[in-house]
Amino acid sequence: MESLQVSDYMNTHPVKLNVDMPVAQAVEALLASGQSGGPVIDSKGKVVGFLSEQDCIAQMIASSYYREQICRVGEIMKTPVVSVKPYMSVIELAQLLLKEKPRVYPVVDDDGVLLGCINRTAVLRAIDVQLNDGYRRAG
């Protein structure tokens, strides 16, 4: 199973957010994509932060209560970002998922440029496919 790589199961079209984007626009992008969070990238495509649904909910509640001005993604995004490499083993990532909190991990190249994202569901699917292939060969 160690041969499974993140690149084989990552979403190559993740929602991409930027620092100056209003949180309301980021929420729309997340809702339209069906993704629970997304990487925040700079003009060169490098990951500089991560914005989750939970971050957005907290900001939206505060905005509605205090009638605040427009909040930008850069003000509430999480940093530093826990990211993974495309050549990382899915099994390694599964072990990381057991210890770490993020549900979605940006997949970046060695320069930190976004290549895609991988989430818990994709990791579970990868392991399931591998196990089922093993059962078929054994049977």
Side-chain angles (χ1 to χ4, degrees):
M1 272 209 282
E2 288 295 325
S3 65
L4 292 173
Q5 290 189 328
V6 165
S7 60
D8 297 327
Y9 293 91
M10 69 183 187
N11 171 2
T12 56
H13 297 95
V15 64
K16 296 174 188 169
L17 310 170
N18 68 61
V19 177
D20 297 322
M21 179 182 280
V23 171
Q25 185 180 350
V27 167
E28 293 298 321
L30 290 173
L31 291 172
S33 71
Q35 296 173 35
S36 63
V40 181
I41 58 172
D42 66 13
S43 61
K44 294 181 177 150
K46 289 189 176 187
V47 177
V48 296
F50 193 87
L51 187 72
S52 69
E53 289 174 326
Q54 186 172 353
D55 300 327
C56 295
I57 290 169
Q59 179 55 43
M60 291 173 82
I61 289 170
S63 291
S64 66
Y65 184 75
Y66 294 110
R67 303 276 185 233
E68 293 178 358
Q69 297 294 326
I70 294 174
C71 180
R72 305 279 175 192
V73 168
E75 297 171 46
I76 65 168
M77 69 183 189
K78 298 286 189 256
T79 58
V81 180
V82 180
S83 61
V84 297
K85 303 292 185 197
Y87 46 80
M88 182 182 202
S89 160
V90 170
I91 299 304
E92 262 184 273
L93 178 54
Q95 291 168 337
L96 185 63
L97 283 168
L98 295 173
K99 298 175 196 163
E100 298 289 333
K101 186 179 176 179
R103 294 179 182 164
V104 180
Y105 288 81
V107 181
V108 299
D109 68 12
D110 290 331
D111 295 320
V113 174
L114 181 68
L115 300 173
C117 284
I118 190 163
N119 62 22
R120 291 178 181 179
T121 304
V123 170
L124 191 59
R125 184 175 294 115
I127 295 169
D128 183 56
V129 165
Q130 189 69 14
L131 287 174
N132 282 330
D133 284 349
Y135 293 147
R136 274 188 234 117
R137 277 187 242 131

